Amino acid sequence: MPRPQPLQDFLDVALPAMRARAHDGNSPASLQAISEAVLAVGQTGAGPASLPVVDALLDRALAREMDYGDLAELLQAVRALAPLLCWRRRTGDAGASANFAENHANAMLLGPGGIEERRDLWIGLSLIAPQTRYPDHQHAPEETYLVLSPGSFRKPGRDWFQPGIGGSFFVPPNAVHAMRAEEEPLFALWALRV
Ligand SMILES: [Fe+2]
């Protein structure tokens, strides 16, 4: 099956935008490998699904004014892709705020459970409502975040920090990390190399 055009268009904008900002840890090499891997198309995966938090907040997250043209294009590409996204809740509550379950959603674009099913990489989005803390979590693949809103993040060796819009950081394999939305919805893109 070919890749849906809105997904290809998203990758064509998102991966260069991530690579342009990847200066932390192993992010440059990780994103280069991911960019090469996505040249091969995976299987058709999950169909569209939404959640109340997405219906309430996604448009607001995507309407944010961006100071950089490539990030404005990235939000536009997510807008075009939105009808295909499969939003889900995650389980696990270590450190999460009490409102976490209702107040977050993740969409796997490419990867296990993604709209393109594959095992060699994960690319997805997280949307978190204001005043919500995501649980501490970890995974074997290394990860690069591109942050597309205000919000705070935590990873080993750093207390809570604000990457800012367009901020990028690296999470080593199995490192415990978390994120937290304050006044604004948190919206972030992540890419993991398996
Ligand atoms: Fe993660």
Side-chain angles (χ1 to χ4, degrees), residues 16-43:
M18 293 190 92
R19 294 179 74 177
R21 292 168 177 79
H23 304 296
D24 187 28
N26 203 36
S27 285
S30 192
L31 291 171
Q32 173 161 349
I34 289 169
S35 298
E36 289 166 10
V38 298
L39 298 174
V41 180
Q43 310 277 316

PDB file of all heavy atoms in Angstrom, residues 16-43:
ATOM      1  N   PRO A  16      13.021  17.340   8.220  1.00  0.00           N
ATOM      2  CA  PRO A  16      13.979  18.442   8.113  1.00  0.00           C
ATOM      3  C   PRO A  16      13.871  19.458   9.250  1.00  0.00           C
ATOM      4  O   PRO A  16      14.890  19.962   9.726  1.00  0.00           O
ATOM      5  CB  PRO A  16      13.624  19.087   6.760  1.00  0.00           C
ATOM      6  CG  PRO A  16      13.005  17.967   5.973  1.00  0.00           C
ATOM      7  CD  PRO A  16      12.238  17.156   6.987  1.00  0.00           C
ATOM      8  N   ALA A  17      12.656  19.742   9.703  1.00  0.00           N
ATOM      9  CA  ALA A  17      12.495  20.689  10.817  1.00  0.00           C
ATOM     10  C   ALA A  17      13.140  20.129  12.084  1.00  0.00           C
ATOM     11  O   ALA A  17      13.769  20.867  12.857  1.00  0.00           O
ATOM     12  CB  ALA A  17      11.013  20.976  11.054  1.00  0.00           C
ATOM     13  N   MET A  18      12.980  18.828  12.311  1.00  0.00           N
ATOM     14  CA  MET A  18      13.619  18.213  13.478  1.00  0.00           C
ATOM     15  C   MET A  18      15.137  18.229  13.338  1.00  0.00           C
ATOM     16  O   MET A  18      15.860  18.549  14.285  1.00  0.00           O
ATOM     17  CB  MET A  18      13.141  16.768  13.656  1.00  0.00           C
ATOM     18  CG  MET A  18      11.683  16.644  14.026  1.00  0.00           C
ATOM     19  SD  MET A  18      11.230  14.934  14.497  1.00  0.00           S
ATOM     20  CE  MET A  18      11.496  15.013  16.282  1.00  0.00           C
ATOM     21  N   ARG A  19      15.604  17.877  12.164  1.00  0.00           N
ATOM     22  CA  ARG A  19      17.065  17.785  11.977  1.00  0.00           C
ATOM     23  C   ARG A  19      17.725  19.151  12.092  1.00  0.00           C
ATOM     24  O   ARG A  19      18.849  19.256  12.586  1.00  0.00           O
ATOM     25  CB  ARG A  19      17.377  17.132  10.632  1.00  0.00           C
ATOM     26  CG  ARG A  19      16.920  15.685  10.599  1.00  0.00           C
ATOM     27  CD  ARG A  19      17.200  15.015   9.283  1.00  0.00           C
ATOM     28  NE  ARG A  19      18.623  14.731   9.141  1.00  0.00           N
ATOM     29  CZ  ARG A  19      19.141  14.085   8.083  1.00  0.00           C
ATOM     30  NH1 ARG A  19      18.341  13.680   7.112  1.00  0.00           N
ATOM     31  NH2 ARG A  19      20.427  13.849   8.018  1.00  0.00           N
ATOM     32  N   ALA A  20      17.031  20.188  11.636  1.00  0.00           N
ATOM     33  CA  ALA A  20      17.608  21.534  11.706  1.00  0.00           C
ATOM     34  C   ALA A  20      17.822  21.990  13.142  1.00  0.00           C
ATOM     35  O   ALA A  20      18.643  22.870  13.402  1.00  0.00           O
ATOM     36  CB  ALA A  20      16.695  22.519  10.978  1.00  0.00           C
ATOM     37  N   ARG A  21      17.083  21.390  14.088  1.00  0.00           N
ATOM     38  CA  ARG A  21      17.149  21.832  15.482  1.00  0.00           C
ATOM     39  C   ARG A  21      17.795  20.804  16.403  1.00  0.00           C
ATOM     40  O   ARG A  21      17.824  20.997  17.619  1.00  0.00           O
ATOM     41  CB  ARG A  21      15.729  22.140  15.973  1.00  0.00           C
ATOM     42  CG  ARG A  21      15.168  23.356  15.284  1.00  0.00           C
ATOM     43  CD  ARG A  21      13.689  23.524  15.524  1.00  0.00           C
ATOM     44  NE  ARG A  21      13.228  24.759  14.883  1.00  0.00           N
ATOM     45  CZ  ARG A  21      12.977  24.881  13.576  1.00  0.00           C
ATOM     46  NH1 ARG A  21      13.101  23.840  12.774  1.00  0.00           N
ATOM     47  NH2 ARG A  21      12.586  26.026  13.081  1.00  0.00           N
ATOM     48  N   ALA A  22      18.267  19.708  15.833  1.00  0.00           N
ATOM     49  CA  ALA A  22      18.786  18.602  16.650  1.00  0.00           C
ATOM     50  C   ALA A  22      20.267  18.824  16.937  1.00  0.00           C
ATOM     51  O   ALA A  22      21.111  18.598  16.075  1.00  0.00           O
ATOM     52  CB  ALA A  22      18.568  17.286  15.913  1.00  0.00           C
ATOM     53  N   HIS A  23      20.546  19.277  18.145  1.00  0.00           N
ATOM     54  CA  HIS A  23      21.946  19.511  18.523  1.00  0.00           C
ATOM     55  C   HIS A  23      22.296  18.769  19.807  1.00  0.00           C
ATOM     56  O   HIS A  23      23.412  18.885  20.295  1.00  0.00           O
ATOM     57  CB  HIS A  23      22.198  21.001  18.712  1.00  0.00           C
ATOM     58  CG  HIS A  23      21.831  21.814  17.504  1.00  0.00           C
ATOM     59  ND1 HIS A  23      22.474  21.661  16.292  1.00  0.00           N
ATOM     60  CD2 HIS A  23      20.865  22.737  17.299  1.00  0.00           C
ATOM     61  CE1 HIS A  23      21.934  22.494  15.406  1.00  0.00           C
ATOM     62  NE2 HIS A  23      20.948  23.141  15.986  1.00  0.00           N
ATOM     63  N   ASP A  24      21.345  18.078  20.388  1.00  0.00           N
ATOM     64  CA  ASP A  24      21.549  17.475  21.707  1.00  0.00           C
ATOM     65  C   ASP A  24      21.866  15.988  21.563  1.00  0.00           C
ATOM     66  O   ASP A  24      21.218  15.283  20.771  1.00  0.00           O
ATOM     67  CB  ASP A  24      20.251  17.667  22.519  1.00  0.00           C
ATOM     68  CG  ASP A  24      20.387  17.238  23.964  1.00  0.00           C
ATOM     69  OD1 ASP A  24      21.519  17.292  24.502  1.00  0.00           O
ATOM     70  OD2 ASP A  24      19.361  16.856  24.560  1.00  0.00           O
ATOM     71  N   GLY A  25      22.842  15.519  22.336  1.00  0.00           N
ATOM     72  CA  GLY A  25      23.131  14.088  22.429  1.00  0.00           C
ATOM     73  C   GLY A  25      23.297  13.442  21.070  1.00  0.00           C
ATOM     74  O   GLY A  25      23.982  13.956  20.187  1.00  0.00           O
ATOM     75  N   ASN A  26      22.633  12.311  20.913  1.00  0.00           N
ATOM     76  CA  ASN A  26      22.751  11.545  19.673  1.00  0.00           C
ATOM     77  C   ASN A  26      21.658  11.896  18.654  1.00  0.00           C
ATOM     78  O   ASN A  26      21.470  11.174  17.671  1.00  0.00           O
ATOM     79  CB  ASN A  26      22.681  10.045  20.013  1.00  0.00           C
ATOM     80  CG  ASN A  26      23.319   9.182  18.943  1.00  0.00           C
ATOM     81  OD1 ASN A  26      24.326   9.566  18.347  1.00  0.00           O
ATOM     82  ND2 ASN A  26      22.725   8.028  18.666  1.00  0.00           N
ATOM     83  N   SER A  27      20.944  12.998  18.884  1.00  0.00           N
ATOM     84  CA  SER A  27      19.826  13.344  17.994  1.00  0.00           C
ATOM     85  C   SER A  27      20.216  13.445  16.518  1.00  0.00           C
ATOM     86  O   SER A  27      19.480  12.938  15.661  1.00  0.00           O
ATOM     87  CB  SER A  27      19.172  14.654  18.426  1.00  0.00           C
ATOM     88  OG  SER A  27      18.390  14.455  19.571  1.00  0.00           O
ATOM     89  N   PRO A  28      21.334  14.087  16.163  1.00  0.00           N
ATOM     90  CA  PRO A  28      21.622  14.201  14.721  1.00  0.00           C
ATOM     91  C   PRO A  28      21.725  12.843  14.031  1.00  0.00           C
ATOM     92  O   PRO A  28      21.112  12.630  12.971  1.00  0.00           O
ATOM     93  CB  PRO A  28      22.947  14.978  14.683  1.00  0.00           C
ATOM     94  CG  PRO A  28      22.923  15.801  15.931  1.00  0.00           C
ATOM     95  CD  PRO A  28      22.274  14.894  16.964  1.00  0.00           C
ATOM     96  N   ALA A  29      22.480  11.917  14.621  1.00  0.00           N
ATOM     97  CA  ALA A  29      22.631  10.598  14.000  1.00  0.00           C
ATOM     98  C   ALA A  29      21.318   9.824  14.025  1.00  0.00           C
ATOM     99  O   ALA A  29      20.963   9.121  13.071  1.00  0.00           O
ATOM    100  CB  ALA A  29      23.719   9.811  14.724  1.00  0.00           C
ATOM    101  N   SER A  30      20.599   9.956  15.119  1.00  0.00           N
ATOM    102  CA  SER A  30      19.326   9.248  15.267  1.00  0.00           C
ATOM    103  C   SER A  30      18.339   9.700  14.190  1.00  0.00           C
ATOM    104  O   SER A  30      17.681   8.883  13.525  1.00  0.00           O
ATOM    105  CB  SER A  30      18.790   9.549  16.669  1.00  0.00           C
ATOM    106  OG  SER A  30      17.732   8.720  17.008  1.00  0.00           O
ATOM    107  N   LEU A  31      18.247  11.007  13.974  1.00  0.00           N
ATOM    108  CA  LEU A  31      17.294  11.523  12.988  1.00  0.00           C
ATOM    109  C   LEU A  31      17.744  11.242  11.564  1.00  0.00           C
ATOM    110  O   LEU A  31      16.910  11.056  10.675  1.00  0.00           O
ATOM    111  CB  LEU A  31      17.083  13.018  13.203  1.00  0.00           C
ATOM    112  CG  LEU A  31      16.326  13.356  14.493  1.00  0.00           C
ATOM    113  CD1 LEU A  31      16.364  14.856  14.741  1.00  0.00           C
ATOM    114  CD2 LEU A  31      14.878  12.871  14.434  1.00  0.00           C
ATOM    115  N   GLN A  32      19.050  11.190  11.360  1.00  0.00           N
ATOM    116  CA  GLN A  32      19.511  10.809  10.023  1.00  0.00           C
ATOM    117  C   GLN A  32      19.085   9.380   9.713  1.00  0.00           C
ATOM    118  O   GLN A  32      18.585   9.087   8.620  1.00  0.00           O
ATOM    119  CB  GLN A  32      21.035  10.933   9.921  1.00  0.00           C
ATOM    120  CG  GLN A  32      21.511  10.384   8.590  1.00  0.00           C
ATOM    121  CD  GLN A  32      22.890  10.846   8.189  1.00  0.00           C
ATOM    122  OE1 GLN A  32      23.453  11.748   8.811  1.00  0.00           O
ATOM    123  NE2 GLN A  32      23.421  10.238   7.157  1.00  0.00           N
ATOM    124  N   ALA A  33      19.261   8.482  10.681  1.00  0.00           N
ATOM    125  CA  ALA A  33      18.867   7.084  10.465  1.00  0.00           C
ATOM    126  C   ALA A  33      17.360   6.972  10.232  1.00  0.00           C
ATOM    127  O   ALA A  33      16.899   6.216   9.371  1.00  0.00           O
ATOM    128  CB  ALA A  33      19.294   6.244  11.672  1.00  0.00           C
ATOM    129  N   ILE A  34      16.589   7.739  10.987  1.00  0.00           N
ATOM    130  CA  ILE A  34      15.127   7.708  10.824  1.00  0.00           C
ATOM    131  C   ILE A  34      14.738   8.251   9.443  1.00  0.00           C
ATOM    132  O   ILE A  34      13.864   7.688   8.769  1.00  0.00           O
ATOM    133  CB  ILE A  34      14.462   8.494  11.974  1.00  0.00           C
ATOM    134  CG1 ILE A  34      14.610   7.713  13.280  1.00  0.00           C
ATOM    135  CG2 ILE A  34      12.996   8.776  11.671  1.00  0.00           C
ATOM    136  CD1 ILE A  34      14.232   8.495  14.526  1.00  0.00           C
ATOM    137  N   SER A  35      15.406   9.316   9.019  1.00  0.00           N
ATOM    138  CA  SER A  35      15.100   9.901   7.702  1.00  0.00           C
ATOM    139  C   SER A  35      15.376   8.907   6.577  1.00  0.00           C
ATOM    140  O   SER A  35      14.644   8.873   5.578  1.00  0.00           O
ATOM    141  CB  SER A  35      15.935  11.169   7.481  1.00  0.00           C
ATOM    142  OG  SER A  35      15.610  12.140   8.444  1.00  0.00           O
ATOM    143  N   GLU A  36      16.418   8.103   6.745  1.00  0.00           N
ATOM    144  CA  GLU A  36      16.716   7.081   5.739  1.00  0.00           C
ATOM    145  C   GLU A  36      15.691   5.950   5.815  1.00  0.00           C
ATOM    146  O   GLU A  36      15.214   5.455   4.793  1.00  0.00           O
ATOM    147  CB  GLU A  36      18.137   6.552   5.936  1.00  0.00           C
ATOM    148  CG  GLU A  36      19.179   7.596   5.537  1.00  0.00           C
ATOM    149  CD  GLU A  36      20.588   7.257   6.024  1.00  0.00           C
ATOM    150  OE1 GLU A  36      20.807   6.127   6.517  1.00  0.00           O
ATOM    151  OE2 GLU A  36      21.454   8.147   5.904  1.00  0.00           O
ATOM    152  N   ALA A  37      15.328   5.569   7.023  1.00  0.00           N
ATOM    153  CA  ALA A  37      14.400   4.442   7.194  1.00  0.00           C
ATOM    154  C   ALA A  37      13.022   4.741   6.609  1.00  0.00           C
ATOM    155  O   ALA A  37      12.367   3.842   6.054  1.00  0.00           O
ATOM    156  CB  ALA A  37      14.285   4.078   8.672  1.00  0.00           C
ATOM    157  N   VAL A  38      12.551   5.983   6.723  1.00  0.00           N
ATOM    158  CA  VAL A  38      11.191   6.282   6.244  1.00  0.00           C
ATOM    159  C   VAL A  38      11.087   6.262   4.724  1.00  0.00           C
ATOM    160  O   VAL A  38       9.966   6.328   4.192  1.00  0.00           O
ATOM    161  CB  VAL A  38      10.622   7.627   6.765  1.00  0.00           C
ATOM    162  CG1 VAL A  38      10.513   7.617   8.274  1.00  0.00           C
ATOM    163  CG2 VAL A  38      11.392   8.816   6.261  1.00  0.00           C
ATOM    164  N   LEU A  39      12.216   6.138   4.031  1.00  0.00           N
ATOM    165  CA  LEU A  39      12.131   5.969   2.570  1.00  0.00           C
ATOM    166  C   LEU A  39      11.417   4.668   2.226  1.00  0.00           C
ATOM    167  O   LEU A  39      10.807   4.549   1.159  1.00  0.00           O
ATOM    168  CB  LEU A  39      13.528   5.993   1.952  1.00  0.00           C
ATOM    169  CG  LEU A  39      14.292   7.323   2.145  1.00  0.00           C
ATOM    170  CD1 LEU A  39      15.715   7.193   1.632  1.00  0.00           C
ATOM    171  CD2 LEU A  39      13.564   8.469   1.452  1.00  0.00           C
ATOM    172  N   ALA A  40      11.491   3.690   3.110  1.00  0.00           N
ATOM    173  CA  ALA A  40      10.720   2.452   2.950  1.00  0.00           C
ATOM    174  C   ALA A  40       9.374   2.616   3.648  1.00  0.00           C
ATOM    175  O   ALA A  40       9.306   3.096   4.775  1.00  0.00           O
ATOM    176  CB  ALA A  40      11.481   1.280   3.554  1.00  0.00           C
ATOM    177  N   VAL A  41       8.325   2.225   2.957  1.00  0.00           N
ATOM    178  CA  VAL A  41       6.966   2.404   3.479  1.00  0.00           C
ATOM    179  C   VAL A  41       6.548   1.150   4.243  1.00  0.00           C
ATOM    180  O   VAL A  41       6.800   0.025   3.791  1.00  0.00           O
ATOM    181  CB  VAL A  41       5.990   2.683   2.316  1.00  0.00           C
ATOM    182  CG1 VAL A  41       4.570   2.867   2.837  1.00  0.00           C
ATOM    183  CG2 VAL A  41       6.436   3.907   1.535  1.00  0.00           C
ATOM    184  N   GLY A  42       5.911   1.349   5.409  1.00  0.00           N
ATOM    185  CA  GLY A  42       5.427   0.233   6.216  1.00  0.00           C
ATOM    186  C   GLY A  42       4.041  -0.229   5.774  1.00  0.00           C
ATOM    187  O   GLY A  42       3.596   0.042   4.666  1.00  0.00           O
ATOM    188  N   GLN A  43       3.375  -0.933   6.679  1.00  0.00           N
ATOM    189  CA  GLN A  43       2.045  -1.480   6.404  1.00  0.00           C
ATOM    190  C   GLN A  43       0.966  -0.451   6.744  1.00  0.00           C
ATOM    191  O   GLN A  43       1.176   0.407   7.599  1.00  0.00           O
ATOM    192  CB  GLN A  43       1.784  -2.695   7.303  1.00  0.00           C
ATOM    193  CG  GLN A  43       2.880  -3.729   7.306  1.00  0.00           C
ATOM    194  CD  GLN A  43       2.746  -4.666   6.123  1.00  0.00           C
ATOM    195  OE1 GLN A  43       1.653  -5.113   5.827  1.00  0.00           O
ATOM    196  NE2 GLN A  43       3.847  -4.937   5.457  1.00  0.00           N
TER     197      GLN A  43
END
